[in-house]
Amino acid sequence: DQQVKQNSPSLSVQEGRISILNCDYTNSMFDYFLWYKKYPAEGPTFLISISSIKDKNEDGRFTVFLNKSAKHLSLHIVPSQPGDSAVYFCAASAYNDYKLSFGAGTTVTVRA
Amino acid sequence: NAGVTQTPKFRVLKTGQSMTLLCAQDMNHEYMYWYRQDPGMGLRLIHYSVGEGTTAKGEVPDGYNVSRLKKQNFLLGLESAAPSQTSVYFCASFSGQGATGELFFGEGSRLTVL
């Protein structure tokens, strides 16, 4: 059973608008959360992360929000750009557990 | 700086054949991982290694074997390929410093089993 879930397989957004990607997790031992971005025919690349002691982390156009009580995190991309069109994976790990559990991914398409 | 390199990039096998995927990293990372990506399933961990000479099972280890004889290399073997092993395979490495997070991935190896 997947412990990290991304229930929206795809998202289409107009250039300049906000993209909001959602992720839910079931394992209460998870304490570190990440987003990865993947272009076709390439490997995933790290985008942004957040520790469970925080509820928000921002890096340029990308902000990740964490709601521990709801076991939910989201990634906001503002403003969305055509180069943001990719698959975004949510991932999580537990303290001292040196492996990541990934969600199924959300394909983002930014329309011009 | 090459990072994580996977070979081969593409391979077609017949059911029952064997093959080995090679992953090499030049970042002196302690941890290495093999994931497979399937539609609607995301990335699932097959096997991983926390250092030279060590290996451990991930979520979906059946039908695969691994070896980490040298720190920089992590090999994934399929002894008797099955159509269910048709997938894109990604190798990744992690330095082991700080919180588990920034894995560096290779470009992937697309395997088709007929």
Side-chain angles (χ1 to χ4, degrees):
Chain A
D1 188 29
Q2 277 197 304
Q3 299 181 77
V4 178
K5 299 179 182 180
Q6 295 176 256
N7 293 320
S8 297
S10 63
L11 172 69
S12 181
V13 64
Q14 195 166 9
E15 183 179 1
R17 305 295 289 268
I18 185 172
S19 294
I20 300 176
L21 291 76
N22 294 304
C23 177
D24 298 293
Y25 62 96
T26 57
N27 188 341
S28 58
M29 299 302 291
F30 287 153
D31 67 348
Y32 199 71
F33 306 89
L34 310 93
W35 288 92
Y36 280 78
K37 178 178 182 179
K38 184 185 180 304
Y39 292 118
E42 295 184 9
T45 55
F46 170 75
L47 183 60
I48 192 169
S49 63
I50 187 167
S51 165
S52 60
I53 62 173
K54 295 184 177 181
D55 56 16
K56 176 182 174 181
N57 189 29
E58 193 171 353
D59 184 2
R61 297 185 296 112
F62 302 91
T63 303
V64 56
F65 296 92
L66 175 63
N67 182 336
K68 282 191 65 179
S69 62
K71 293 191 176 68
H72 177 84
L73 62 154
S74 61
L75 174 69
H76 293 207
I77 308 173
V78 182
S80 299
Q81 298 175 352
D84 297 331
S85 294
V87 179
Y88 291 79
F89 290 102
C90 175
S93 68
Y95 178 73
N96 269 350
D97 186 9
Y98 300 101
K99 52 188 188 291
L100 295 181
S101 296
F102 284 85
T106 297
T107 300
V108 172
T109 302
V110 180
R111 310 184 310 271
Chain B
N1 195 352
V4 178
T5 303
Q6 295 180 226
T7 52
K9 298 281 191 293
F10 303 93
R11 185 74 187 269
V12 178
L13 288 177
K14 293 182 179 178
T15 296
Q17 287 185 317
S18 63
M19 76 157 294
T20 300
L21 295 175
L22 170 63
C23 177
Q25 53 96 2
D26 61 4
M27 296 172 284
N28 201 35
H29 283 176
E30 289 294 331
Y31 300 85
M32 296 187 74
Y33 310 82
W34 276 107
Y35 284 88
R36 58 178 288 175
Q37 184 193 7
D38 302 291
M41 303 294 290
L43 293 158
R44 292 182 294 169
L45 183 63
I46 305 171
H47 284 281
Y48 64 103
S49 169
V50 300
E52 181 179 310
T54 74
T55 63
K57 294 180 180 179
E59 301 170 66
V60 289
D62 295 342
Y64 304 95
N65 57 75
V66 287
S67 65
R68 183 109 181 260
L69 298 180
K70 293 183 178 180
K71 186 177 184 178
Q72 64 267 33
N73 295 336
F74 195 29
L75 279 64
L76 178 70
L78 285 72
E79 291 183 346
S80 179
S84 61
Q85 294 177 305
T86 294
S87 187
V88 181
Y89 292 85
F90 288 98
C91 177
S93 70
F94 168 58
S95 64
Q97 303 299 317
T100 300
E102 193 169 349
L103 271 60
F104 291 84
F105 283 86
E107 293 184 341
S109 298
R110 182 175 293 277
L111 175 64
T112 302
V113 182
L114 303 176

